[in-house]
Amino acid sequence: MEQLIQTLRSTEIFSGLSDSMLETIAANCTRVKRGKGVQFVFQGEPGHTMFVVLKGRVGVTTINEHGDEVFVAERGPGDTIGEMSLLDGSRRSAHVTTSSECELLILERDTFVRCLRESPELALKIMASLVGRIRELTDTVSKKSPVRARLAEQLDRMADQFGVESRTGTRIESGMTKTDLATRVGAAREVVSRALSNLKSDGIVDFDGRTIVVIDRRRLKAEARK
């Protein structure tokens, strides 16, 4: 129990809460592990639980009116998932799938709502989180930049998250396939493959087997701004 309380205290959304509040949360949550590629939140289903990512990363996607999968965001340690459904009782607004092996905390709605009523600080943090999610979704939906620019932006973000420095550049050790990358960019796999090949021809990235290596990070950032 004490170890779990310390874990909660180090999580952004629960930091600053009283010991008694942390004890209540710890006593009413479940700690689970999920392998890579496991979908554990389904768009359109009722939501009765909130998740906190302790280890690993998960991808958030939605299905648009045309039936296409649209990448929204990637979440990592300390991030929360599913709190919107707990607040308004609505159905899940997105799918969530593990991008790597993950460890998650599951918190039931009754406990979550009770904590919100007793802790104004927690309520404010949840509000700030939701505002950030709305802005993020708005940006994703409204973005009209070319595929090459979106790809460069995604590669730059992945280099921050998964990058391993080597003598040839920043190796993106994400284990992500080109299909996964295409989903995150919001374009067909063939189009993303061509954009990757063009970035390689321009000396910005290279390939080492299935691993993408960023050779020129400055030029990659410049491409992302176009």
Side-chain angles (χ1 to χ4, degrees), residues 81-185:
I81 301 161
E83 64 271 32
M84 291 178 66
S85 294
L86 297 193
L87 288 171
D88 63 5
S90 62
R91 295 179 179 272
R92 300 293 196 190
S93 60
H95 296 307
V96 184
T97 306
T98 57
S99 305
S100 64
E101 291 188 355
C102 288
E103 190 169 350
L104 308 163
L105 279 183
I106 304 176
L107 188 63
E108 298 292 335
R109 184 177 191 275
D110 290 345
T111 302
F112 176 72
V113 172
R114 185 166 75 250
C115 291
L116 281 179
R117 287 172 176 165
E118 296 177 8
S119 174
E121 184 171 359
L122 178 59
L124 287 172
K125 288 185 177 182
I126 290 291
M127 289 171 61
S129 173
L130 293 179
V131 169
R133 301 288 169 84
I134 292 171
R135 288 175 176 167
E136 183 178 59
L137 182 59
T138 300
D139 183 61
T140 299
V141 172
S142 63
K143 187 173 286 184
K144 301 295 184 181
S145 56
V147 170
R148 177 174 167 123
R150 301 204 305 271
L151 173 61
E153 182 181 18
Q154 182 63 37
L155 291 177
D156 187 48
R157 187 180 300 118
M158 290 168 62
D160 285 334
Q161 295 174 346
F162 309 110
V164 176
E165 296 302 326
S166 68
R167 60 182 181 81
T168 56
T170 305
R171 297 172 57 88
I172 300 177
E173 304 283 3
S174 67
M176 194 177 295
T177 66
K178 286 186 178 179
T179 300
D180 295 331
L181 186 57
T183 298
R184 282 157 174 73
V185 172

Side-chain angles (χ1 to χ4, degrees), residues 23-36:
E23 289 173 2
T24 298
I25 295 172
N28 290 276
C29 66
T30 305
R31 199 167 186 162
V32 299
K33 293 182 179 181
R34 294 287 184 268
K36 180 180 178 181

Side-chain angles (χ1 to χ4, degrees), residues 203-220:
I204 298 173
V205 304
D206 200 357
F207 305 113
D208 183 3
R210 295 184 177 181
T211 301
I212 299 173
V213 183
V214 179
I215 299 174
D216 194 328
R217 192 73 182 273
R218 180 185 62 78
R219 291 177 64 196
L220 184 70

